[in-house]
Amino acid sequence: MKRVERLHALSEMLRRSGTRGVSAERLAGVFEVSVRTIKRDLDALENSGAPIWSRPGPGGGYGLATGGSLPPVSLSPAQAMALMAAVAAAPDAPYADLAAAGVRKILDVLDHKTRARADELAHRVWVNALPSSSRAIKSALEEAMAEQRVIRIRYTSRDGTSTTRDVEPVLFASTNGRWYLVGWCRLRNAMRWFTVSGIGRASVTRTACGGHAIHEVGEPPANARPVHGLGE
């Protein structure tokens, strides 16, 4: 996870902790960084104007004072439940962690009656989602795609063979309930589809991608479309 994303997610977690607060040790565990890094992040948030408070001693921790937040949001209970279901059903989707944080923020500013009805309706919706990949792996994939840099992955194929590959990310794709990283594999010198669940390690390199375009992936299925089309 890039630092700017971690700072945003950190502020959201502090906000949601309310008056209870949360310890630096717990924050470090959630974001998979050191306590020292968390304290530097807290200082950065405070210097940027975030109203962070701290409570020393056993049971103490950090929190975010009530203040600027989203204005009231007008959603029906069904719309709110639909957002929860969509995020819960796709834990391996790109930016799923950020999507979940966004949904929580929206739910927190719904009026009490709507939130209660949405929560009740959400209990009537079940999803069969595979275990999500680690936050570190997903964050590396997201960063490589956004910055268009080569990513080095340790990949295990369906037959159990593991290889280390340098991949130029081109797009993310979802089909048959699985998410894929589609990119130019420098080991095979060809376009390849990698299931996200098969990626055991991932690190972003400093090498820029070579400019392989989306059309090189081939023709998408007739019912496939970019997610930006959902808003049209």
Side-chain angles (χ1 to χ4, degrees):
M1 177 180 289
K2 298 178 69 173
R3 190 174 189 234
V4 65
E5 295 173 354
R6 188 174 68 245
L7 289 175
H8 175 75
L10 177 59
S11 66
E12 285 301 302
M13 189 168 179
L14 292 174
R15 182 181 62 83
R16 289 183 58 81
S17 71
T19 58
R20 302 185 310 276
V22 58
S23 69
E25 288 75 17
R26 172 163 170 69
L27 292 169
V30 169
F31 293 104
E32 299 179 355
V33 297
S34 67
V35 170
R36 184 177 180 182
T37 295
I38 286 295
K39 291 186 175 180
R40 284 202 300 264
D41 287 349
L42 291 168
D43 287 340
L45 286 174
E46 191 167 21
N47 290 335
S48 70
I52 293 176
W53 55 261
S54 62
R55 185 169 55 235
Y62 299 86
L64 197 64
T66 56
S69 60
L70 282 175
V73 176
S74 178
L75 290 179
S76 70
Q79 287 174 322
M81 181 282 302
L83 290 174
M84 288 187 276
V87 172
D92 265 340
Y95 315 103
D97 294 336
L98 298 179
V103 170
R104 288 194 298 267
K105 183 186 291 187
I106 291 171
L107 294 176
D108 282 348
V109 296
L110 292 176
D111 66 87
H112 178 73
K113 184 178 179 180
T114 301
R115 173 65 187 267
R117 292 175 62 192
D119 284 340
E120 194 281 331
L121 184 56
H123 283 296
R124 301 176 183 273
V125 179
W126 291 2
V127 296
N128 182 19
L130 296 173
S132 175
S133 300
S134 78
R135 180 192 296 269
I137 290 175
K138 290 194 295 183
S139 294
L141 297 178
E142 293 161 6
E143 179 182 350
M145 185 69 71
E147 301 295 334
Q148 280 298 283
R149 286 191 284 162
V150 174
I151 187 165
R152 181 162 296 156
I153 63 174
R154 183 66 177 174
Y155 185 70
T156 301
S157 61
R158 290 185 180 181
D159 64 6
T161 302
S162 293
T163 53
T164 298
R165 303 165 181 243
D166 284 355
V167 178
E168 300 180 30
V170 174
L171 57 84
F172 292 117
S174 175
T175 181
N176 296 323
R178 292 180 180 271
W179 275 97
Y180 294 83
L181 167 68
V182 186
W184 184 263
C185 176
R186 292 188 166 187
L187 178 66
R188 304 303 185 201
N189 202 34
M191 201 67 70
R192 288 289 187 269
W193 291 54
F194 303 96
T195 58
V196 172
S197 60
I199 299 174
R201 290 197 304 270
S203 59
V204 183
T205 72
R206 296 184 178 182
T207 305
C209 291
H212 290 282
I214 294 174
H215 69 81
E216 296 180 56
V217 177
E219 289 295 323
N223 61 344
R225 59 174 174 172
V227 294
H228 71 73
L230 297 178
E232 299 175 352

